[in-house]
Amino acid sequence: MSRSLLRSPAAPSLRAPLSPPAASIDASAGVRRQRARGPSRRPRPLVTIAWLAALLSAAPACESVATSAPPRPSPAAQARLELHAADAEVWAFSARIQGALAGPGTLEDCAIRVGGDVHPAAIEQQRSFAADVPLLEGENEITARCRETGAGELAAPPVTYHVRLEDTPRARARAARAGDRLVLDATSSEPSERSRAGLVAFAWSRLRDDGTPERLGQGARVEVPAPDAGSRALYELTVRDARGRSDTARVAPPPGAPPGASAPAWIDDAVLYGVVPPFFGDPPLRSVRAALPALERLGVTAIWLSPIFAAPEGDFGYAVTDYFSVRPDYGTEQDLRELVDDAHRRGLRVLLDLVPNHTSAEHPYFEQAEQRRSHAHTFAFYDRDAGGEPTHYFDWEHLPNLNYDNAEVERWMLEVSLHWVRRFGIDGYRVDAAWGIKQRRSGLWSPWAAELRRVSPELALIAEASARDPYYLQHGFDAAYDWTEELGHWAWKDVFAAPRGIAARLDAALSATAARAARPERTLRFINNNDTGARFITRHGPGLTRAAAAALLTLPGVPCIYAFDELGAEYEPYGGLAPVSRPPRGQLARHYERLIRLRRSIAALRSPGLLTVHAVPDDEVFAYVRHGDDTSRFALVVLNFSERPVKKRLALPEPFAGHARGGLHDALRGGDAQLQAGSLTLDLAPWDARVLVPR
């Protein structure tokens, strides 16, 4: 999500107007103004035990207050009792219920009834009342009854709170080596949040490579043979409680693994492919599935789907109106399930684009909040300024920010994240505007990532935020964007701004990121994505595109190819949700295929090591060595960022020159080359790329 581009050609009209935000980001400094907070006030309880007992005995326990005998009429006929709440969805097993007397008079005693349970309410200033009440999963009918001073009783019409959480236990799996044994430990598992029913069964399995379970045993602690050193074994725990409710967790690396070990092993070998489903055809999800054989042949290892959640018609997808539904213009849940299953059969991972920073202004929660204001249960779901107006970033007035100081919002978005993992087996998320939540609630991401990895340790989590900020890798993410310190500014943008000096500018950009990033090899690199406007080939031509693609796929980082880059398609992502015109597969596609094949087959191209050999301002040749710990297995990459042929002599530094005395082989184009006195002479064609490895 960049500062300069909106998600759709025009922001949707709002059913309720939005005022300008009181909280905003200074893009250069990343500073957010804090909203004012008022003092909290606790009302005093006034319910008498005798009156509460009378209320409980007035009707059978199974009968709601709303259906009991009507209260005596009040002398002030116009007085009535109102609950502030309307029917609502709740992401907690309790809620604060508030109400007030409408019309003249005062209140003496109040109680709130939830199903068959009655809870005393505290009265404030003799006219309003409140109570924190427990809730059950599913529907909870809530009403209130109060005694008016010097008059009769008043009853409020009932409302229904629907608790969206399932009251299940929480499995927690741990693994520790003890010599040649592995101890699997479930003792930190927790009973269900509401019922607290005891845990009665623990079952362990080891997941085979094809995902099928191999049963290991029962019990809270189990010992099994330790996996081979360096292998990535995956173990699964299922716990069951006395009510028959169950939960599943998985564990992969033993505790004490080095930093970054929580990341899935596959992320360092990944070649990501960005997919916008409607660009592939109609119906979109089925069209993406039909394209999987071509993506498999291209050699990518994972696909990243642009947002597939329900959104306003015509919106690119970042204005979400329902996080639990597949948008109907893309397809059905079954279409998505078949797409994910087919991708997995082909060895392709599937990542979804998660949008937790904001909702659409057309989301039902926001509409309720705007209509009922502070009386809406969801009013506090949204970040607000000192005047109570919703905040947003930049000119995204149709994308109100969520309030992560609200525990229900945190739980809601966690349940969203778990939903797609558990029900569809997705392999990770690209997290939209992760920087925004860091600004407002910096402590959110670590527990969120830990809870996701409790369920699926192999998930990849990519932050839409700058890789130069070490915060993201320190708080649960595996990769972040190749941005500068300026929000949304592509690190390579100025590299290609002029036809001369590309090599030196690219070297400088890489050095700047390496100096700041926690792990430069976990930088998401790209030449196109959804926020880069006209495609690279449109702006710079096919020749420079070939050279840039070679850099993308041979430099350290997680390379991302975006929809039809390999075909040279020309379009603007936010130009409309329609199938994209694609050139036939040609030389550019074969160039991408060869580069991806080399990246996957040459370990040095996937390693973190990078040593610049040649990059000077008056020369368009950029050369660098890619290497791991074993310096004898390296790759020398030479790129000509010029439309002119060049003859270039390159000095290969030690120890690499010593390992190349037998000569070098061009793994990309074929042919051999010999070093003379530690130097190499190459004839480079316009926009040429070479990948040379020791023979």
Side-chain angles (χ1 to χ4, degrees), residues 600-656:
R600 296 183 64 178
S601 62
I602 299 174
L605 295 179
R606 304 189 306 277
S607 68
L610 173 68
L611 175 65
T612 299
V613 172
H614 187 86
V616 294
D618 60 348
D619 196 328
E620 302 313 309
V621 173
F622 185 34
Y624 47 91
V625 172
R626 297 283 283 107
H627 64 91
D629 293 335
D630 183 357
T631 57
S632 67
R633 303 174 65 84
F634 68 90
L636 172 65
V637 179
V638 184
L639 306 174
N640 179 18
F641 286 110
S642 169
E643 76 284 1
R644 299 171 297 179
V646 176
K647 189 180 187 71
K648 181 58 58 181
R649 184 176 181 82
L650 301 171
L652 191 63
E654 292 292 347
F656 307 107

Side-chain angles (χ1 to χ4, degrees), residues 177-227:
R177 284 183 178 269
D180 61 351
R181 307 290 289 174
L182 188 71
V183 179
L184 301 174
D185 188 343
T187 56
S188 60
S189 299
E190 302 168 7
S192 56
E193 187 175 344
R194 179 69 170 83
S195 75
R196 309 302 296 174
L199 303 179
V200 298
F202 306 84
W204 293 92
S205 300
R206 178 171 178 171
L207 297 181
R208 302 185 179 95
D209 291 341
D210 62 0
T212 59
E214 173 191 352
R215 294 183 179 178
L216 297 178
Q218 304 274 339
R221 288 173 61 91
V222 172
E223 287 192 21
V224 297

Side-chain angles (χ1 to χ4, degrees), residues 244-294:
R245 299 292 185 93
S246 63
D247 186 43
T248 298
R250 292 177 177 178
V251 62
S262 62
W266 61 269
I267 193 69
D268 291 316
D269 300 333
V271 178
L272 193 59
Y273 193 93
V275 170
V276 183
F279 291 179
F280 283 71
D282 189 34
L285 291 178
R286 292 184 186 179
S287 297
V288 174
R289 184 185 177 193
L292 291 179

Side-chain angles (χ1 to χ4, degrees), residues 363-440:
H363 193 289
Y365 289 176
F366 187 73
E367 292 182 330
Q368 291 169 11
E370 290 300 282
Q371 290 164 8
R372 296 181 59 84
R373 301 299 292 171
S374 61
H375 286 181
H377 181 74
T378 58
F379 184 80
F381 281 22
Y382 290 90
D383 188 68
R384 298 184 181 276
D385 63 21
E389 295 305 312
T391 69
H392 58 77
Y393 292 121
F394 313 127
D395 55 354
W396 302 338
E397 292 186 356
H398 65 304
L399 303 177
N401 291 331
L402 287 168
N403 173 24
Y404 280 94
D405 289 336
N406 184 293
E408 282 193 64
V409 171
E410 182 177 348
R411 184 65 179 270
W412 168 33
M413 210 49 62
L414 175 61
E415 293 299 322
V416 167
S417 306
L418 292 170
H419 172 83
W420 300 95
V421 174
R422 285 170 165 157
R423 290 199 58 186
F424 297 91
I426 64 109
D427 302 289
Y429 291 109
R430 176 265 189 192
V431 181
D432 183 68
W435 50 265
I437 295 176
K438 180 205 170 187
Q439 291 283 342
R440 305 194 306 280

Side-chain angles (χ1 to χ4, degrees), residues 510-531:
L510 294 169
S511 298
T513 296
R516 296 289 304 275
R519 296 184 64 172
E521 74 276 15
R522 295 282 180 80
T523 300
L524 184 74
R525 306 223 189 255
F526 52 88
I527 60 175
N528 285 314
N529 68 22
N530 54 302
D531 281 329

Side-chain angles (χ1 to χ4, degrees), residues 142-175:
I142 301 171
T143 191
R145 184 184 289 263
C146 294
R147 187 167 62 205
E148 189 179 5
T149 305
E153 295 173 357
L154 297 173
V159 298
T160 300
Y161 270 22
H162 185 91
V163 174
R164 291 291 304 269
L165 303 176
E166 294 184 4
D167 191 28
T168 60
R170 182 170 296 180
R172 294 193 182 278
R174 296 178 179 175

